[in-house]
């Protein structure tokens, strides 16, 4: 019997393999604004959809990042990838680290884009309750997006992204992933890991800041570096797509 695979979008046919994992409000569609700027001769990109999201929307599961890591490995094995790099946005930062732990020796490089660290967002019950409230409320999703981009962008855009988030994810999956990125801590499992890591943050992101990156990712990964993207908040793939694509490929390309 053929193993079921998660849905994905593949772009390019280059020798350098890269798999990208989206954030809580996102899906594989988040990465499409970057595509015109990507070097599709040098790279092959796969934009992955978690169970319950996008092209995997109808796929049931436990909706954990350990499960997502096994889904990624099933997919890359199907594609014939031995070694590959990872990009993770927001909660995708947690997800790519779970892939790293599940596939030691196979990850070439990691790039975190406004990426949640392995300690999660360290939310207490009050903050978790506030985030749970966005599950069924598009207006609160839009408000969260506006806050995370510095309350400086068109409200219509925040509302659009919130609507797409509801359309492209199941409420049960969306709710289930929350505690795994917001309140779990597996930082002791990644401390000292030698994989090269680059963190990209937006200058207007109020939460995923340089100070947080320094105290977490940069403290735990000995080969980690940080770059701030100007004129961006929490969603640089929408806010500054060409600049982000350029910075990512500068990092991911062979030395």
């Amino acid at each position: 019997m053929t193993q079921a695979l998660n849905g994905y979008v593949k772009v390019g046919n280059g020798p350098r393999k890269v798999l990208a994992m989206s954030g809580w409000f996102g899906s594989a569609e988040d990465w499409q604004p970057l595509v015109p700027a990507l070097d599709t001769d040098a790279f092959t990109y796969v934009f992955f959809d978690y169970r319950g999201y996008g092209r995997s929307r109808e796929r049931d599961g436990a909706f954990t990042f350990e499960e997502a890591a096994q889904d990624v490995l099933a997919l890359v094995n199907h594609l014939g990838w031995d070694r590959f790099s990872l990009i993770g946005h927001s909660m995708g930062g947690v997800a790519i680290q779970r892939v790293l732990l599940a596939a030691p020796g196979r990850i070439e490089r990691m790039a975190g884009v406004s990426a949640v660290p392995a300690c999660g967002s360290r939310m207490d019950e009050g903050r978790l309750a506030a985030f749970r409230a966005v599950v069924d409320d598009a207006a609160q999703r839009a408000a969260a997006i506006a806050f995370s981009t510095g309350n400086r962008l068109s409200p219509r855009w925040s509302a659009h992204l919130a609507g797409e988030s509801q359309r492209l994810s199941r409420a049960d999956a969306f709710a289930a992933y929350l505690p795994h990125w917001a309140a779990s801590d597996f930082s002791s499992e990644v401390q000292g890991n030698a994989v090269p890591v680059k963190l990209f943050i937006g200058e207007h992101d109020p939460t995923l800041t340089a100070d947080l990156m320094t105290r977490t990712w940069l403290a735990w990964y000995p080969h980690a570096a940080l770059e701030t993207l100007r004129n961006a908040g929490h969603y640089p793939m929408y806010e500054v797509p060409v600049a982000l694509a350029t910075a990512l490929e500068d990092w991911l390309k062979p030395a």
Side-chain angles (χ1 to χ4, degrees):
M1 179 181 294
T2 303
Q3 182 176 4
L5 297 172
N6 282 52
Y8 63 95
V9 177
K10 177 177 171 289
V11 173
N13 292 286
R16 193 82 168 177
K17 315 299 187 187
V18 182
L19 185 137
M21 305 184 80
S22 61
W24 194 39
F25 286 133
S27 72
E29 299 306 310
D30 276 356
W31 306 101
Q32 298 314 298
L34 275 64
V35 170
L38 297 176
D39 185 345
T40 53
D41 295 320
F43 293 88
T44 299
Y45 291 93
V46 161
F47 305 118
F48 175 88
D49 271 325
Y50 306 99
R51 296 185 190 217
Y53 278 62
R55 290 162 179 78
S56 308
R57 195 177 187 281
E58 302 309 317
R59 192 165 191 215
D60 295 323
F63 307 125
T64 69
F65 296 115
E66 293 90 342
E67 177 183 73
Q70 294 305 314
D71 288 338
V72 165
L73 293 182
L75 178 56
V76 297
N77 290 342
H78 169 77
L79 295 170
W81 293 8
D82 180 24
R83 287 176 55 78
F84 55 99
S85 294
L86 293 164
I87 303 171
H89 172 243
S90 196
M91 83 169 186
V94 172
I96 63 172
Q97 291 177 91
R98 285 295 186 187
V99 177
L100 174 68
L101 293 172
R106 296 184 67 178
I107 308 306
E108 293 179 339
R109 293 187 167 216
M110 295 201 307
V113 180
S114 306
V116 176
C119 62
S121 291
R122 292 176 170 164
M123 291 187 189
D124 59 22
E125 189 53 42
R127 283 192 71 206
L128 271 173
F131 271 75
R132 288 191 196 102
V134 313
V135 172
D136 298 309
D137 190 326
Q140 290 203 49
R141 289 197 195 200
I145 292 165
F147 173 78
S148 71
T149 49
N151 289 309
R152 63 189 229 291
L153 301 176
S154 162
R156 190 171 291 266
W157 175 78
S158 297
H160 168 75
L161 201 61
E164 287 296 279
S165 170
Q166 282 197 315
R167 182 177 71 85
L168 292 169
S169 65
R170 284 165 41 181
D172 59 339
F174 187 80
Y177 286 116
L178 173 60
H180 295 286
W181 67 262
S184 65
D185 186 345
F186 59 98
S187 56
S188 63
E189 298 179 55
V190 303
Q191 289 184 27
N193 195 295
V195 68
V197 181
K198 185 75 172 283
L199 289 313
F200 299 93
I201 59 168
E203 66 170 326
H204 299 293
D205 190 327
T207 306
L208 280 298
T209 62
D211 177 64
L212 178 66
M213 298 297 110
T214 300
R215 290 185 285 107
T216 57
W217 288 88
L218 270 65
W220 300 331
Y221 290 91
H223 303 294
L226 176 65
E227 181 175 335
T228 299
L229 299 168
R230 300 302 175 192
N231 201 34
H234 191 68
Y235 291 89
M237 65 281 292
Y238 290 107
E239 299 169 83
V240 289
V242 178
L244 177 60
T246 303
L248 285 169
E249 292 196 335
D250 283 347
W251 168 244
L252 296 169
K253 68 186 178 184

